[in-house]
């Protein structure tokens, strides 16, 4: 792409104007975490609950067929696991999003997912 020196000066001038506008934005009133994160936490909880439901059904069948555990005992084991699966994401999401911010929470989540995939494969 051939640009004349005049076009280059215009691009640089526009970039400088954008930088000045970005500096003028008042960052003192930005708020991280709090009640604004509640819809995201609830959406995450809904997704995790659906995934855990599918996992739980397969887990009960696995316990019955491979370990010869009765269906009542297998269901009790599954319910204890389900309790932890449903409570930990709520606590983790509130702590991560409220105290560390959105970017750090995503970085930590990706790191943990990578570890989990590596461990279970």
């Amino acid at each position: 792409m051939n640009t004349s020196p005049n076009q280059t000066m215009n691009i640089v001038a526009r970039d400088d104007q954008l930088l000045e506008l970005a500096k003028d934005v008042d960052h003192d009133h930005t708020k991280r975490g709090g009640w604004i994160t509640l819809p995201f936490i609830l959406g995450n909880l809904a997704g995790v609950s659906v995934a855990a439901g599918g996992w739980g059904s397969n887990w009960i069948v696995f316990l019955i067929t491979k370990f010869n555990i009765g269906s009542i005992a297998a269901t009790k084991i599954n319910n204890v696991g389900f309790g932890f699966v449903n409570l930990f994401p709520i606590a983790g999401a509130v702590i991560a999003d409220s105290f560390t911010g959105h970017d750090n929470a995503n970085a930590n989540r990706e790191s943990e997912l990578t570890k989990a995939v590596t461990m279970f494969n």
Side-chain angles (χ1 to χ4, degrees), residues 42-109:
L42 293 177
N44 181 38
L45 177 62
V48 168
S49 296
V50 169
W55 176 83
S57 300
N58 288 331
W59 179 244
I60 290 173
V61 172
F62 178 77
L63 289 174
I64 293 170
T65 57
K66 297 293 182 183
F67 291 111
N68 296 323
I69 296 174
S71 62
I72 303 293
T75 303
K76 287 180 181 178
I77 292 170
N78 183 53
N79 287 341
V80 170
F82 230 159
F84 284 111
V85 166
N86 284 326
L87 289 177
F88 284 148
I90 296 171
V94 169
I95 291 168
D97 213 19
S98 296
F99 293 113
T100 64
H102 180 70
D103 294 333
N104 289 337
N106 280 339
N108 290 335
R109 178 182 56 85

Side-chain angles (χ1 to χ4, degrees), residues 7-51:
Q7 288 175 330
T8 305
M9 291 295 288
N10 287 338
I11 292 171
V12 171
R14 278 187 250 147
D15 287 345
D16 289 341
Q17 289 172 348
L18 288 174
L19 287 173
E20 288 299 320
L21 286 173
K23 288 178 186 176
D24 290 339
V25 174
D26 186 13
H27 294 289
D28 294 336
H29 291 71
T30 59
K31 183 178 171 187
R32 298 184 91 151
W35 286 103
I36 193 83
T37 61
L38 187 63
F40 301 103
I41 293 170
L42 293 177
N44 181 38
L45 177 62
V48 168
S49 296
V50 169

